[in-house]
Amino acid sequence: MTRSDTLARARGLDRPQTAYLVRFPAADGTIVETDLTWAELARDTAWVTERLRGHGLTAGHQALVTASGFEGPWIRPVIDALRSLAVPYAIAEAMGWDHGRTAVFHRELRPHAIIGLSAETLEGLSGTADLREMFRDTPVLLARPAAVRLLRGVGVTASAICFLGPALAFECPERQGAHVNAAEWRVGARDGELFVAAGEGRAATGLAETPLGIRGTVLNGPCACGSADPRVVFS
C-alpha cells in the first residue's frame, strides 16, 4: 500500500470531535481541564486570522513563532492562521535555553512578525545582544506580558499575546488592551484579578467562572481598531 493510499484510507476514518485536552491552572493552584473541539479550533483560527490581518500580515511576509509544545491549544490557531494568510513561519522554543535559535531565525529570516516572544527568551538574548537594536525594526512584535514590559522598557514597541486559562488574548495595533473573543469566552475582573468562563460559543464545555490568579482589568467599550471584543489590561 502506497503512502497516498494510506492517507486516502485515513481521511475516510471517523475523527473524534476533540482536538486537544486543554489543561490550565486556576488561581487556587488546581488544574482545570476542558476539551477543545475541531470546530472550536476552526473558529479560533478564523478569529486569530482577523487579528493578524489587523497587524498588516499578508502573503509574502515571514513570521517567527516562539512557543512550547504543550502550548498547542493556544498556538495551533496562530499557526493555522499564518498558513491561511500564506505567511511562511519558523518555530523556536519559548524557553530561555533556546534563545540562540530565535537569534539565528531573526538574523537569517528578518521576520515581519515575531509572535509569542517570552521574557525567558529575552533574558537569554540580553547576554549577547542589544534588545533595542535587535527588535526595533521588526514591524510586528506580539510578546507575552512580561516580555512586553521588558521590550517597552528598552524603547521597543510591542503588543501583548497571553493565555487566559483556555482563552487567547491578542492585542491589536492600538495597544489599548488584549482582545478576547467575546463569541467564545466571557472575561472579567473581580478585586483586580481576572477570571474566564465559557461564552455562548463554548457553552458545551461547561466552564464555570474560573479565577486565574492574573492581575488585570477588563475594558468592555469598543476599540479604535473596530473590534467590540473585551480587552484585558494586565497589571
Side-chain angles (χ1 to χ4, degrees):
M1 181 178 289
T2 66
R3 182 173 183 271
S4 60
D5 292 333
T6 303
L7 292 174
R9 290 278 296 274
R11 283 193 291 270
L13 297 174
D14 291 335
R15 183 169 68 170
Q17 291 188 353
T18 300
Y20 288 94
L21 178 63
V22 185
R23 304 178 79 245
F24 64 94
D28 62 4
T30 60
I31 300 300
V32 181
E33 294 185 350
T34 183
D35 289 352
L36 173 64
T37 69
W38 291 104
E40 291 164 348
L41 181 60
R43 296 199 301 270
D44 290 345
T45 297
W47 184 80
V48 173
T49 300
E50 291 308 307
R51 306 287 76 72
L52 292 177
R53 280 200 181 102
H55 279 279
L57 263 72
T58 188
H61 289 150
Q62 295 187 107
L64 171 62
V65 178
T66 63
S68 298
F70 67 89
E71 296 174 334
W74 301 271
I75 293 299
R76 172 68 181 271
V78 173
I79 289 173
D80 287 350
L82 291 171
R83 288 172 175 165
S84 73
L85 293 169
V87 174
Y89 62 90
I91 299 178
E93 170 63 57
M95 300 297 183
W97 50 261
D98 199 34
H99 68 272
R101 184 156 50 153
T102 294
V104 170
F105 282 143
H106 182 271
R107 181 180 67 248
E108 299 299 327
L109 299 179
R110 308 306 294 176
H112 185 87
I114 300 178
I115 303 170
L117 200 59
S118 70
E120 291 79 6
T121 296
L122 292 179
E123 288 164 1
L125 291 170
S126 65
T128 59
D130 181 323
L131 296 181
R132 183 175 184 276
E133 183 67 24
M134 183 174 183
F135 293 113
R136 66 179 180 179
D137 293 328
T138 302
V140 179
L141 279 175
L142 282 156
R144 301 162 197 249
V148 169
R149 289 190 286 270
L150 289 173
L151 289 168
R152 291 177 180 174
V154 296
V156 176
T157 299
S159 301
I161 185 172
C162 181
F163 310 148
L164 291 176
L168 182 64
F170 210 106
E171 198 165 31
C172 71
E174 298 293 331
R175 289 185 291 279
Q176 297 297 313
H179 294 273
V180 178
N181 189 351
E184 303 291 326
W185 305 107
R186 180 169 59 87
V187 293
R190 188 168 291 109
D191 298 326
E193 182 179 284
L194 299 171
F195 67 79
V196 65
E200 184 176 347
R202 291 297 210 274
T205 69
L207 182 67
E209 186 176 300
T210 304
L212 298 172
I214 300 172
R215 303 293 297 178
T217 58
V218 175
L219 305 177
N220 288 299
C223 179
C225 74
S227 173
D229 286 329
R231 289 166 287 146
V232 173
V233 178
F234 301 100
S235 300

